[in-house]
Amino acid sequence: MEEEEARCFLGRFVEEFPAALEEGSPLPVSPLSRKVSLDELHGESLELGLKLLAARGAPAGLSALLCQAALSQLLQNDLSPFHCSQEADSQEEEQQVVLLQSEAVQRLFINKLIDVALTWHQNFPKPPPSPSQFLRCSVHAIKNTRRKMEDKHVTLAEFNQLFGIQDGVERAYYAVFDGHGGVDAAIYAATHLHVALSKQETLQRDAATALKSAFKYTDDIFRGKAKRERLRSGTTGVAVLIQGQELTVAWLGDSQAVLVRKGQAVTLMDPHKPDREDEKQRIEDLGGCITFMGCWRVNGTYAVSRAIGDFDQKPYVSGDADCSTTQLSGDEDYVLLACDGFFDAVKPSEVPHMVLDALQRSGDPEGGEDAPLEQSEDTVGLRVAQQLVGQAKAAGSTDNITVMLVFLRPPQQLLAQNSTTVPAKATQDSTSQDAPQQ
């Protein structure tokens, strides 16, 4: 994080917010919920703060530090004045859940954020060390022909800064969630899964166990919200944690992650689908069934066999994530995360060719009218995800499509190592440079 850039932003921010928000004044950003449980307060506050700061162009590292400091102060407050009164028709088990008035408690959080910004503007603190390895990330998502956009994604290179972790181990977190039956479950997972992960005692010594526990915890606390608010949605998800020289991936359902090393796709996972033999057996052992209704479905309903949410079909639709860990040796190119809207049209084995082709287009100063005017170490690769989404759409995908590339080496290095022109594959003739975008 550049101190001069951070100071400039703080100057602009305190000019817009020179004092705390007054009681009853509108919030500059809308809370995610009307009521929030104590378990949900951490994630929803951080999401609100990051959204507020990002909309004003805050450096990502500074945003993480500001939000972490403001949340720490919020949690030291007596929050009992914000408790919601229990409704007379609440179920007994629901009465045990303490709910807070979201708008009121988030006004307090934003005021804490403003207070921290004012203090740092006057006396800028020495920040904790920034990650020595900056991972460039290219993301693009489209609604495509679907009526609603139900995908969500998270890019968090500042994992340690956001949660105040100072153990000397660098961490970065990335995730893609593909909702169905509404976007609520996907929003919930994108808001809370990384928070749950940060609280796992096994995080430092066993990232796989920590990620699996975080998925399970997120599914469990979403159950309470779904019951309170009568939500019926679900979401698949794939999350990657890069911790030191380990890459750990955890997943539920058919969103996928692919690692590419020296231009070759490396299988990290086997997506959960109802017709996968072990998934079919698990469901049948529980007394459920798999039926074909346009596609294979669990008990004739959901086309996924594992997900966060979908509580009307638990335990047939399982909330237990699978996980794998890969040691990084330094010769890895990137890891790609995407929902099934991408992988239904693109085979994992096709990813290296498509990415290299897209990189060459992005890095070619004569790459056509859509090519960037200037190419630098910081810009090459940023448009790759957009091109991949366009290719999946051109190949016939009608679903929501989200693609995220996390470069483990600078994209310029990949171009230098593959300087010859990539020949077009017959199977990709339809995915030209002019593939339609949305």
Side-chain angles (χ1 to χ4, degrees):
M1 180 178 62
E2 293 292 338
E3 183 173 332
E4 182 178 353
E5 183 184 9
R7 288 183 181 275
C8 288
F9 171 78
L10 289 171
R12 298 194 305 271
F13 188 78
V14 300
E15 185 176 340
E16 181 180 359
F17 299 102
L21 302 177
E22 295 181 359
E23 189 71 26
S25 62
L27 299 183
V29 60
S30 299
L32 295 179
S33 310
R34 284 193 313 109
K35 299 177 181 180
V36 60
S37 71
L38 288 171
D39 286 335
E40 297 163 342
L41 179 61
H42 195 156
E44 294 210 8
S45 296
L46 290 179
E47 180 69 15
L48 201 71
L50 292 173
K51 183 178 180 181
L52 173 69
L53 295 169
R56 287 154 178 79
L62 178 64
S63 291
L65 294 173
L66 284 169
C67 288
Q68 195 276 328
L71 183 69
S72 296
Q73 292 187 16
L74 175 70
L75 297 179
Q76 293 173 17
N77 275 65
D78 175 15
L79 301 178
S80 59
F82 304 107
H83 288 187
C84 297
S85 58
Q86 293 290 342
E87 298 177 3
D89 59 350
S90 294
Q91 298 295 321
E92 181 179 349
E93 61 202 64
E94 294 177 330
Q95 292 176 349
Q96 299 174 3
V97 178
V98 175
L99 297 177
L100 307 173
Q101 300 167 8
S102 189
E103 182 171 345
V105 74
Q106 297 300 1
R107 178 178 287 104
L108 177 60
F109 169 71
I110 292 174
N111 283 337
K112 297 292 185 185
L113 190 64
I114 293 170
D115 185 57
V116 172
L118 289 167
T119 300
W120 289 8
H121 182 242
Q122 295 297 325
N123 184 20
F124 192 76
K126 181 180 179 181
S130 298
S132 60
Q133 182 186 20
F134 175 69
L135 302 177
R136 290 173 184 82
C137 188
S138 177
V139 189
H140 193 62
I142 63 169
K143 180 168 64 71
N144 210 355
T145 62
R146 290 297 178 91
R147 188 168 60 91
K148 295 181 179 180
M149 179 57 166
E150 295 177 333
D151 287 359
K152 291 293 175 182
H153 64 267
V154 180
T155 65
L156 190 54
E158 304 78 19
F159 187 90
N160 286 350
Q161 291 92 327
L162 187 62
F163 299 113
I165 301 173
Q166 299 184 38
D167 60 357
V169 179
E170 294 185 1
R171 293 179 181 85
Y173 168 92
Y174 305 91
V176 169
F177 301 99
D178 181 0
H180 49 265
V183 75
D184 299 288
I187 291 175
Y188 200 88
T191 302
H192 296 288
L193 181 60
H194 53 290
V195 178
L197 177 61
S198 74
K199 297 179 179 181
Q200 299 301 314
E201 294 181 357
T202 61
L203 176 62
Q204 295 184 5
R205 65 181 185 275
D206 186 353
T209 297
L211 266 169
K212 291 170 72 173
S213 298
F215 265 94
K216 183 63 176 174
Y217 178 79
T218 303
D219 189 42
D220 288 343
I221 60 171
F222 181 56
R223 182 186 294 271
K225 182 181 178 70
K227 188 170 185 178
R228 291 193 304 271
E229 301 183 13
R230 296 177 174 83
L231 305 177
R232 294 178 57 87
S233 62
T235 185
T236 68
V238 59
V240 166
L241 177 70
I242 300 173
Q243 179 168 259
Q245 296 303 306
E246 279 189 351
L247 185 151
T248 303
V249 57
W251 70 96
L252 284 172
D254 52 10
S255 295
Q256 297 185 56
V258 175
L259 177 67
V260 173
R261 177 188 292 130
K262 295 182 179 180
Q264 299 296 317
V266 178
T267 300
L268 297 177
M269 54 170 287
D270 186 7
H272 301 124
K273 297 187 177 183
D275 57 333
R276 205 178 88 174
E277 192 56 41
D278 56 344
E279 287 294 275
K280 180 174 181 288
Q281 189 64 53
R282 176 184 63 79
I283 292 164
E284 290 178 347
D285 287 347
L286 289 168
C289 65
I290 302 298
T291 57
F292 190 83
M293 302 174 65
C295 62
W296 290 102
R297 297 180 180 274
V298 177
N299 296 333
T301 57
Y302 300 117
V304 296
S305 59
R306 300 199 191 195
I308 289 173
D310 295 337
F311 299 112
D312 59 322
Q313 289 295 330
K314 287 285 195 287
Y316 311 108
V317 176
S318 173
D320 295 328
D322 274 335
C323 206
S324 71
T325 297
T326 302
Q327 295 295 321
L328 300 176
S329 58
D331 58 356
E332 293 81 13
D333 300 335
Y334 53 85
V335 59
L336 178 144
L337 295 80
C339 62
D340 70 324
F342 177 76
F343 283 111
D344 283 349
V346 176
K347 297 177 181 178
S349 61
E350 296 174 325
V351 165
H353 173 88
M354 292 174 65
V355 170
L356 183 57
D357 187 41
L359 272 173
Q360 290 178 327
R361 293 174 183 172
S362 297
D364 182 3
E366 298 180 358
E369 63 180 11
D370 293 330
L373 295 178
E374 296 181 0
Q375 295 299 325
S376 71
E377 188 73 14
D378 292 329
T379 58
V380 171
L382 295 181
R383 296 179 65 252
V384 171
Q386 182 178 3
Q387 295 191 46
L388 296 185
V389 167
Q391 292 183 23
K393 181 177 179 179
S397 176
T398 60
D399 200 355
N400 300 157
I401 308 175
T402 298
V403 172
M404 177 189 300
L405 277 96
V406 182
F407 289 98
L408 303 177
R409 285 194 285 167
Q412 288 281 24
Q413 286 188 13
L414 306 184
L415 280 174
Q417 292 172 9
N418 299 272
S419 56
T420 58
T421 303
V422 177
K425 290 186 178 180
T427 56
Q428 295 180 333
D429 286 344
S430 63
T431 57
S432 67
Q433 183 173 345
D434 297 323
Q437 303 289 334
Q438 178 166 325

